[in-house]
Amino acid sequence: MSTATTAFTPSQRVQRIKVSPSTAAAARVQELKAEGREIFDLTVGQPDFDTPENIKAAAAAAMESGQTKYTSVNGTPQLREAIRSRMTRVTGQVYSDAEITVGGGGKQVIFLAFMASLNPGDEVIIPSPYWVSYPDMVRANDGEPVVVATGRAEGYKLTPDLLEAAITDRTRWVVLNTPSNPTGVAYTEGELLALGEVLRRHRHVWVLTDEIYDEISYLDGAVPNLARALPELGDRHLMVNGVSKSYAMTGWRLGYAVGDQGLIATINLLQSQTSSCPSSISQAAAVEALSGDQTSVTERVQVYAARRDRALELLTEIHGLSPITPDGAFYIFVECSGLIGRVTPDGQRLDTDQDVTLYLLEKANVAVIQGSAYGTEPFFRMSFATDMDTIESALAAVSDAVRRLS
């Protein structure tokens, strides 16, 4: 019998995708910390707060009462009711059980939506700057990401003209992330209505809105959403959300979406063959998160707002940096074109935003993520989901490092 082995070769599907840059950055930060370096970590895409006590208590009670079995693929009746109630409050629409899906985080829901709907060569319009996972999730499911660049003139948001120009006969989806990761910008109701005019002319195009940061908002009033602005698009609109960001529950892995019954049924079919159902304990916790006391959300948004304002104040004092003011989420996307072409004390020229981020990591001990990871350069993304002392110390170190450039 032969003992020869053949090296494993990943499938073509897997070879199309890359390791998440944010995951890679976080891993590098941990490596440097393990070496004894004190790193100011501004890469983190999760709240620094703990899950609220009432939510943890609900999970503990669920375990004590034996809620540790499989649930329905689309969640427990209590969770579906909590989702339905929140969605009615946010959108003004009423959703049936057949229009609700629940997954292991919003990321899984989006991935399964693409798996459920894309055929080889189908196109998905993704405005940049974009969340790093969108293009790779499309590629992994045989689709073609069509990246549409937006800039300062467009407010870093998709416009009707850009959308119209990007649509082809192969377009299946357009993805809108509001408030956005990495920019934090949110679409106004008027902007959504204008995009709707284009979508009315192209009935074959569906819309996926990722609204995971909608509770972390610095706007007066609620973040506008497509379901309320354009309810007539409901038969081709998937609205994705979750409990990770608003309730500091990233590790609980619980996301959900509402949309067309046919699409939801297909997502649930795929869910039944992947993880069967989300964690029953996480579902019980999510019921409390969505329907329980919301004081912690309000209080934490106030803390984020103070951090955002202080970070913006410090960034604008650093020559060569130009931050985008976020409407929501807990990131600031910082243009660093003023540093491109400058030279480090070691004689290295900064030619790209990755050069900038590496310089800040090595010489200022500040970890951020390069804008090219989000499809737009030269920028970097910093998170302010960390304490004020870290923000102030990190940006003081950045300021000092920038002053040493020639």
Side-chain angles (χ1 to χ4, degrees), residues 23-363:
T23 300
R28 178 57 178 155
V29 168
Q30 293 308 312
E31 289 173 2
L32 292 173
K33 287 182 176 179
E35 294 171 6
R37 292 266 299 271
E38 180 182 4
I39 302 297
F40 300 114
D41 186 3
L42 304 182
T43 67
V44 183
Q46 65 178 340
D48 57 317
F49 300 108
D50 194 10
T51 304
E53 291 300 322
N54 63 310
I55 297 173
K56 292 192 289 186
M63 288 186 283
E64 287 298 323
S65 64
Q67 297 179 42
T68 56
K69 313 299 184 191
Y70 290 129
T71 73
S72 298
V73 171
N74 63 339
T76 63
Q78 294 84 359
L79 180 55
R80 292 197 299 273
E81 181 55 38
I83 292 168
R84 182 174 16 258
S85 178
R86 182 184 188 274
M87 289 294 96
T88 297
R89 184 175 73 253
V90 169
T91 70
Q93 310 301 312
V94 178
Y95 298 92
S96 68
D97 279 3
E99 296 171 303
I100 298 172
T101 189
V102 180
K107 179 182 276 191
Q108 186 194 35
V109 173
I110 295 170
F111 191 95
L112 293 181
F114 289 149
M115 183 181 288
S117 60
L118 294 178
N119 291 311
D122 283 350
E123 296 173 350
V124 178
I125 296 171
I126 303 171
S128 66
Y130 50 70
W131 178 46
V132 295
S133 291
Y134 294 139
D136 282 328
M137 287 197 288
V138 171
R139 293 186 187 101
N141 288 293
D142 295 326
E144 296 291 336
V146 176
V147 174
V148 177
T150 71
R152 206 168 283 269
E154 297 84 23
Y156 300 96
K157 290 179 272 190
L158 188 66
T159 65
D161 288 345
L162 290 173
L163 175 59
E164 183 74 59
I167 292 174
T168 72
D169 292 342
R170 305 292 318 250
T171 305
R172 190 69 194 268
W173 290 97
V174 57
V175 176
L176 301 178
N177 181 203
T178 177
S180 159
N181 174 8
T183 64
V185 298
Y187 287 83
T188 67
E189 183 176 359
E191 290 165 340
L192 293 172
L193 290 170
L195 293 173
E197 289 300 315
V198 178
L199 293 167
R200 285 191 184 97
R201 296 194 293 271
H202 300 279
R203 292 286 307 169
H204 66 292
V205 179
W206 287 51
V207 189
L208 188 154
T209 57
D210 180 352
E211 305 183 19
I212 192 73
Y213 295 100
D214 66 344
E215 294 282 0
I216 305 174
S217 168
Y218 316 113
L219 301 172
D220 292 330
V223 175
N225 64 74
L226 190 74
R228 184 176 286 277
L230 292 160
E232 63 269 30
L233 295 182
D235 62 346
R236 50 191 172 113
H237 174 208
L238 185 70
M239 184 175 180
V240 181
N241 212 308
V243 297
S244 291
K245 311 298 183 176
S246 301
Y247 302 98
M249 295 175 67
T250 52
W252 298 77
R253 307 315 303 135
L254 199 291
Y256 59 88
V258 294
D260 170 76
Q261 291 187 22
L263 172 61
I264 294 296
T266 309
I267 293 173
N268 288 339
L269 174 65
L270 291 169
Q271 167 93 312
S272 73
Q273 297 296 345
T274 52
S275 61
S276 296
C277 65
S279 159
S280 60
I281 306 307
S282 294
Q283 291 186 57
V287 171
E288 176 63 21
L290 295 173
S291 59
D293 184 6
Q294 301 295 301
T295 302
S296 65
V297 177
T298 303
E299 291 176 345
R300 291 172 180 190
V301 169
Q302 292 173 350
V303 174
Y304 288 137
R307 294 172 178 177
R308 177 196 77 149
D309 293 346
R310 181 60 174 150
L312 287 169
E313 178 185 11
L314 294 172
L315 285 164
T316 54
E317 294 173 353
I318 302 174
H319 183 67
L321 300 183
S322 179
I324 299 170
T325 299
D327 301 316
F330 35 64
Y331 311 107
I332 300 177
F333 207 46
V334 184
E335 184 178 355
C336 57
S337 57
L339 305 186
I340 301 301
R342 297 179 67 178
V343 178
T344 73
D346 296 336
Q348 300 298 311
R349 178 185 165 94
L350 303 179
D351 290 321
T352 66
D353 54 16
Q354 185 168 25
D355 292 341
V356 171
T357 60
L358 289 173
Y359 172 66
L360 295 179
L361 180 60
E362 297 300 329
K363 302 303 181 183

